[in-house]
Amino acid sequence: MTKEWKDMTWQEKREERFKRWLSPPNAKFISPEAEKAYKKRVTRFIKAIRMETPDRVPCMFPAGFYPVYYAGLTLKKAMYDAEALCAAWLKFMHDFPDMDTFTGPGIVQPGKVLDMIDFKLYQWPGHGVGDDVSAFQFVEREYMKADEYDKLIHDPSDFWLRSFMPRQAGAFAGLAKLAPLTPWIGIPNYYLIRFANPEVQNTLKAMMAAGEELMKWLGTTGKVSRAVLEAGYPQMSGGFSGPPYDELTDMCRGTKGILLDIYRQPEKMHEAMESLIHITVEDAVNMANMSGCPLVNMPLHKGSKYFMSDKQFREFYWPTFKKVMMGMIEEGVVPMPFAEGNYEPRLEYFREMPKGSVLWYFEQVDLANAKRILGDVACIAGGLPVSVLCTGTPKDVKDYCRKAIEIGGPGGGYILASGANMDKRGNPDNLRAMIEAVNEYGVYR
C-alpha cells in the first residue's frame, strides 16, 4: 500500500523527489543515448548526496554566463536579444558534450523587462554600469526602514506589496496607494475605490505590459532550457532560497542597517526572522515542486567570518537558517547552501544537520578540513579556486582538480566544483581540463 505524503519520513519523501528528477515527466529525450546519459548523470549526483560511492566523482560544471562570452557576445547583447542568447547556449552545449550538468539560459535576466519596470535592485550593462560589464551588480540600500519591523512581522505579504515593491521598481509606485488586503470587510467598495487612482492604474498597466514581455522572453528561452534537459543534461538547482538573516539584510535593511539593529533592536530582528521561516520554506518547496529538481540553491551572504563573529552567527544567523533547512528537509527537498566567502569557522555548526540531508557547496574552504569535519555527515562540493579556473593554465586546473579529488573523493560524498563560475576572461580549455581531470582521476575503482 502506497503511503500518503504526510505519513512519509523525510528520507522517503526525498526518494520520491529523486525519482522525479531521474525520470522527468513529459521529457522527450532526443535519443535513447541522451536519456541514458541523463539518468547516469543524475544517479551520480544522487549517490553523492546520499553519501554513497557513484561510478565517479560528479562535477558541477562552472559555466554561468560563460556561454555568452564563448559565443562572442556581451552580456548586454544577451540580455536584450533572446534569439542570440539561445544560440549561444546551444553552441556551448554542443561544444562541451561531456558536462555532468548544464543550466538553461534562464540565469540571464531580460533587460527590456527590467527597463519597463524601472527595476532598482540591480545595475546591469548599459543601465548603471558600462556596456561591457560582465555581471549584474546588486544595489544595496535600506529598502525597509528601521521602524518598519512590525509591518513585516504582522503581515509580511502586505509589507511586501505596499512598502517593499514600490521601492523595488519605479513602475510599482502605485502599489503604495492600495488598501491593505487583510481587513475582514465583506463590502468591496473599501478596496475597489483604490483602483480608480490613476497611479494605481498606471502601475497595473505597466505590470501587465512587463508580464507580456516576459512571457515572450520565456517562450524563447524556455525552449532552450527544455532542449538542454532533453539532450541529457540535468539542472542542479530547482529553486533559490536563503537564510532569514540574509533575506532581512539583502532585501530589507542593508548591511549597515542590520548591524545597527543587532545592537539597537535585536528582539525585533529575531521576531522578524522567525516570521520569515514558514514563508521561506513554503516558497522553496513550491519551486522544487514546479522544477522537478529537489535541490534548492541557498547563497549565503552575511554569515561568513568576514561579516560577523562566532557569537553573532550563533545568536542571529544559525538558528533560523537551521529551521529553514529542516523545514525543507522534512518535505524531501535537499538544501544546497553556497557558502560565499569563508565559512570555515562554521563547519561544526553544519554537523548539526541530519546525516546526508544537505549538500554544502563552498567557495573558500580548506577542503581537507571540511572533509574531516563534515565527511561523515554531509556531501560537500568545491575544491577548485575560481582564480585558477579563470587565470591558470589547463595544466594548473587539472592539477588542482586532481588534488581536490584525492582529498574529497575517498568514500564518496564529494562533488568537484569551482568556487565560482568562469567569467569572460576564462579559457575554454580550462573547462575541458576540468572534465578531463574528473574522468581521469575521479573514477571509483
Side-chain angles (χ1 to χ4, degrees):
M1 182 176 178
T2 304
K3 283 186 179 179
E4 292 189 25
W5 187 262
K6 64 182 179 64
D7 298 323
M8 293 182 183
T9 64
W10 70 263
Q11 294 95 333
E12 290 170 331
K13 291 176 182 177
R14 188 181 66 172
E15 289 305 308
E16 289 301 312
R17 293 190 184 276
F18 281 162
K19 288 177 186 177
R20 186 183 175 202
W21 190 24
L22 192 61
S23 300
N26 304 317
K28 298 178 181 178
F29 291 97
I30 59 174
S31 67
E33 292 75 21
E35 182 175 10
K36 182 179 178 181
Y38 175 88
K39 292 181 183 297
K40 187 174 184 179
R41 288 163 177 149
V42 173
T43 299
R44 196 172 281 151
F45 285 107
I46 289 174
K47 287 192 173 184
I49 294 165
R50 287 182 186 145
M51 301 181 65
E52 300 172 358
T53 303
D55 61 329
R56 70 154 168 80
V57 170
C59 176
M60 288 171 58
F61 205 59
F65 294 148
Y66 188 69
V68 170
Y69 313 122
Y70 180 75
L73 304 179
T74 63
L75 181 57
K76 181 178 180 180
K77 173 69 172 176
M79 289 181 67
Y80 288 89
D81 188 336
E83 294 289 349
L85 168 64
C86 291
W89 237 254
L90 292 173
K91 173 178 172 57
F92 188 88
M93 182 181 73
H94 292 142
D95 287 0
F96 291 85
D98 296 326
M99 300 179 288
D100 276 349
T101 179
F102 187 43
T103 301
I107 63 171
V108 177
Q109 295 290 317
K112 186 175 179 180
V113 174
L114 300 183
D115 287 334
M116 291 172 73
I117 64 171
D118 186 21
F119 194 62
K120 306 291 189 183
L121 269 63
Y122 293 165
Q123 292 179 335
W124 58 94
H127 189 106
V129 294
D131 287 356
D132 61 344
V133 170
S134 59
F136 311 136
Q137 176 66 54
F138 182 74
V139 181
E140 183 176 284
R141 294 194 181 103
E142 290 189 16
Y143 297 101
M144 180 181 112
K145 299 173 185 177
D147 61 356
E148 292 183 321
Y149 270 98
D150 284 340
K151 286 185 178 181
L152 174 64
I153 293 164
H154 297 155
D155 196 338
S157 293
D158 184 69
F159 169 77
W160 209 252
L161 178 69
R162 299 192 306 122
S163 297
F164 176 79
M165 287 183 66
R167 299 166 188 167
Q168 177 192 41
F172 298 166
L175 296 176
K177 305 294 183 179
L178 292 174
L181 289 169
T182 43
W184 289 78
I185 298 176
I187 301 172
N189 300 3
Y190 167 77
Y191 196 76
L192 286 177
I193 192 63
R194 307 301 178 103
F195 288 90
N197 187 313
E199 291 182 59
V200 174
Q201 292 178 353
N202 288 338
T203 286
L204 295 177
K205 289 174 184 176
M207 295 176 77
M208 290 167 64
E212 290 173 357
E213 183 62 34
L214 180 59
M215 287 301 296
K216 293 177 186 176
W217 176 273
L218 295 177
T220 302
T221 59
K223 293 176 183 177
V224 174
S225 295
R226 192 75 180 177
V228 168
L229 168 71
E230 293 178 349
Y233 302 99
Q235 61 175 324
M236 280 295 287
S237 177
F240 283 87
S241 187
Y245 183 95
D246 284 342
E247 293 175 351
L248 198 57
T249 304
D250 294 347
M251 296 298 174
C252 297
R253 295 291 292 127
T255 304
K256 178 182 176 181
I258 206 74
L259 292 176
L260 291 173
D261 293 343
I262 282 177
Y263 295 98
R264 293 177 176 176
Q265 45 183 344
E267 296 83 6
K268 289 294 183 185
M269 279 185 62
H270 285 300
E271 195 174 352
M273 290 188 290
E274 289 287 338
S275 74
L276 293 173
I277 291 171
H278 173 74
I279 298 169
T280 304
V281 171
E282 187 176 67
D283 192 39
V285 171
N286 286 340
M287 285 188 282
N289 289 343
M290 288 188 292
S291 69
C293 174
L295 277 67
V296 171
N297 190 5
M298 303 181 74
L300 311 185
H301 294 152
K302 299 301 196 300
S304 80
K305 72 176 187 178
Y306 304 125
F307 281 104
M308 58 173 54
S309 67
D310 186 74
K311 180 178 182 295
Q312 290 169 331
F313 183 87
R314 184 171 62 253
E315 180 179 351
F316 291 97
Y317 200 94
W318 179 242
T320 50
F321 176 27
K322 181 180 178 180
K323 288 178 182 178
V324 165
M325 288 194 291
M326 287 301 303
M328 294 182 190
I329 290 165
E330 287 299 325
E331 288 299 315
V333 172
V334 180
M336 185 172 66
F338 176 38
E340 297 188 44
N342 192 313
Y343 281 74
E344 195 147 352
R346 322 301 187 204
L347 295 179
E348 291 291 345
Y349 292 98
F350 298 167
R351 283 190 58 84
E352 296 176 17
M353 303 307 297
K355 182 176 180 178
S357 63
V358 181
L359 197 174
W360 294 100
Y361 180 11
F362 295 101
E363 179 187 3
Q364 302 173 17
V365 77
D366 179 334
L367 190 59
N369 192 41
K371 184 74 172 181
R372 178 181 64 81
I373 296 175
L374 295 177
D376 63 336
V377 296
C379 178
I380 57 178
L384 176 62
V386 69
S387 58
V388 176
L389 178 67
C390 291
T391 66
T393 66
K395 183 179 184 304
D396 294 333
V397 170
K398 201 168 179 180
D399 287 345
Y400 264 89
C401 290
R402 176 182 57 79
K403 293 173 185 175
I405 290 168
E406 288 173 354
I407 294 169
Y414 174 65
I415 296 171
L416 178 66
S418 171
N421 291 318
M422 177 86 90
D423 67 16
K424 66 179 182 179
R425 300 167 296 173
N427 177 356
D429 288 338
N430 284 357
L431 293 177
R432 296 186 178 95
M434 195 174 181
I435 294 172
E436 290 173 7
V438 79
N439 283 319
E440 187 172 343
Y441 307 120
V443 177
Y444 288 97
R445 307 295 180 185

